[in-house]
Amino acid sequence: METTSELVRGVLAAYRKVTEASWPDVELFSDDASRGTMSQKELQRLLDECVNKVAEPPREIRVFWKLQPGLMYAGCNGLFAADAGFSTPDEFVGRTDFDPRVPWTRQAAKYQADDRETIGRAEPKLFILERQEREEGVFWVHTGKAPILDESGKAVGVLGMYETIDNRMLSDVRRRQAAYEATTTTNGGG
């Protein structure tokens, strides 16, 4: 699937799923994007606004999306590109996790297995918490992923969002996770 209105709508829908569950305080766009009333240019502008707005302080959320079959990066925000060691998202698009310039190549197989699981189940994978030790101390990475679906409902890629949190913020993420899980259990699923 090339960069079309359908693809951008799929990315926006995945963005909505992850954001509503994991970052409910982030302001979302109206549902016009999913109704097919917006042009491709308007959809792209909306997507750019969304991924750039969440990158601003205090959240500083990284956003990326990859497409099948090779899980090649099709887009990201500036913070994610910087994490990958690139100056702009355009420099990063077209690469995979196995690219030797990407700092996480040692974890590439793990990340892609996780992406394929999300795509295969065609369901979001939320509240992924990973502990990282850095020179500045111990940090946690809070990640959420959702499949990118085409018009027929087939998963064609994955969108991911993450933020670095400290030990204080960890309890807030776990509280949001418990609230989300209680809601989805009460409502019979997500």
Side-chain angles (χ1 to χ4, degrees), residues 40-118:
Q40 182 172 338
K41 186 176 179 179
E42 291 170 318
L43 287 166
Q44 187 63 54
R45 186 173 49 244
L46 176 61
L47 177 58
D48 292 343
E49 286 174 14
C50 289
V51 302
N52 291 323
K53 187 173 184 178
V54 297
E56 296 172 359
R59 293 318 301 228
E60 299 181 359
I61 299 169
R62 281 75 167 156
V63 182
F64 64 87
W65 54 100
K66 306 175 192 179
L67 298 178
Q68 292 278 49
L71 292 175
M72 190 173 292
Y73 285 95
C76 65
N77 65 10
L79 282 179
F80 184 83
D83 283 357
F86 294 84
S87 300
T88 67
D90 288 341
E91 290 178 12
F92 186 67
V93 169
R95 300 179 187 277
T96 72
D97 295 308
F98 293 100
D99 187 300
R101 287 188 56 196
V102 176
W104 53 81
T105 55
R106 290 191 317 198
Q107 293 113 344
K110 175 191 178 302
Y111 291 160
Q112 288 211 349
D114 193 50
D115 295 337
R116 291 187 198 292
E117 178 186 348
T118 303

Side-chain angles (χ1 to χ4, degrees), residues 66-173:
K66 306 175 192 179
L67 298 178
Q68 292 278 49
L71 292 175
M72 190 173 292
Y73 285 95
C76 65
N77 65 10
L79 282 179
F80 184 83
D83 283 357
F86 294 84
S87 300
T88 67
D90 288 341
E91 290 178 12
F92 186 67
V93 169
R95 300 179 187 277
T96 72
D97 295 308
F98 293 100
D99 187 300
R101 287 188 56 196
V102 176
W104 53 81
T105 55
R106 290 191 317 198
Q107 293 113 344
K110 175 191 178 302
Y111 291 160
Q112 288 211 349
D114 193 50
D115 295 337
R116 291 187 198 292
E117 178 186 348
T118 303
I119 292 167
R121 292 182 342 174
E123 293 179 11
K125 188 171 185 176
L126 305 167
F127 300 104
I128 303 165
L129 294 170
E130 296 178 308
R131 186 175 186 263
Q132 293 185 345
E133 293 185 29
R134 302 182 188 167
E135 287 181 18
E136 315 85 78
V138 175
F139 288 86
W140 292 84
V141 177
H142 167 216
T143 305
K145 294 182 177 184
I148 299 169
L149 307 177
D150 66 12
E151 287 180 335
S152 68
K154 178 184 174 201
V156 296
V158 63
L159 173 129
M161 298 173 68
Y162 68 91
E163 70 178 331
T164 301
I165 59 175
D166 58 25
N167 285 325
R168 292 183 334 244
M169 298 167 70
L170 182 61
S171 62
D172 182 54
V173 171

